[in-house]
Amino acid sequence: MKKIITYGTFDFIHRGHINILRRAQDLGDHLIVGLSTDKFNMTKGKQAYHNYEDRKLIIDAISYVDQVIPEYTWDQKITDVITHDIDTFVMGDDWKGEFDFLKAYCEVVYLPRTKGISSSAIRNSRLHS
Ligand code: C2G
């Protein structure tokens, strides 16, 4: 079984998120999502509208996703890759190069971001409509 992992906040779930989850799942047989906790988001300088439990409920319901684990820190990825026997790490190419250190442990794939949509744009449009 080819195991894939990707990470993110996945707030205001949108087609960009679905596109990356679908393409990530297409690369293997089992997709794990490392979902940023609310506390970790604060260190990322992000405050999600939906809390971790609600974002997990939504991600768990997406057919491309097989498993959701909490993302507590920047530093857990090597441990996650080893612990979960990951073959391929996937992120959008806004992160290109940032996680190349994982190449020592698994394949690293950066996929083109979906243009024209982002959680922050949705948040801003919601708040200002
Ligand atoms: N994404 C995308 N297209 C968009 C928006 C997001 O492909 N229009 C991708 C991002 O590249 C990322 C994933 O969707 O791979 C999740 O995006 P975010 O929820 O914004 O996650 P981020 O804040 O980038 O956190 O350790 C990694 C971090 O947790 C990533």
Side-chain angles (χ1 to χ4, degrees), residues 7-10 14 16-17 20 36 44 46 71 74 77 91-92 94-95 99 113-114 117:
Y7 293 81
T9 301
F10 295 100
H14 54 67
H17 296 140
I20 192 120
S36 308
K44 289 199 285 189
K46 278 183 139 178
E71 182 187 28
W74 292 112
K77 292 184 175 68
M91 285 301 289
D94 47 320
W95 291 96
F99 303 112
R113 265 177 80 92
T114 300
I117 192 157

Side-chain angles (χ1 to χ4, degrees), residues 11-12 49 118-129:
D11 197 22
F12 291 124
Y49 178 82
S118 68
S119 302
S120 47
I122 294 168
R123 172 199 293 273
N124 295 337
S125 64
R126 274 171 63 89
L127 296 180
H128 299 98
S129 57

Side-chain angles (χ1 to χ4, degrees), residues 85-103:
D85 191 22
I86 298 297
D87 298 286
T88 305
F89 166 89
V90 173
M91 285 301 289
D93 61 4
D94 47 320
W95 291 96
K96 192 166 179 61
E98 294 297 320
F99 303 112
D100 286 357
F101 63 88
L102 287 171
K103 286 180 178 175

Side-chain angles (χ1 to χ4, degrees), residues 55-84:
R55 287 181 287 117
K56 183 179 185 305
L57 185 76
I58 294 164
I59 296 292
D60 267 331
I62 296 171
S63 58
Y64 305 124
V65 178
D66 297 289
Q67 187 179 357
V68 180
I69 62 172
E71 182 187 28
Y72 298 107
T73 73
W74 292 112
D75 307 325
Q76 71 183 72
K77 292 184 175 68
I78 293 174
T79 306
D80 288 347
V81 167
I82 294 167
T83 307
H84 295 280

Side-chain angles (χ1 to χ4, degrees), residues 2 4 15 22 31 33 37 42-43 47 50 54 63 77 83 86 89 101 103 110-111 116 122:
K2 189 171 178 190
I4 316 291
R15 60 188 164 86
R22 184 191 70 256
L31 173 60
V33 172
T37 61
M42 287 169 70
T43 68
Q47 180 164 11
H50 295 291
D54 288 354
S63 58
K77 292 184 175 68
T83 307
I86 298 297
F89 166 89
F101 63 88
K103 286 180 178 175
Y110 300 102
L111 297 172
I122 294 168

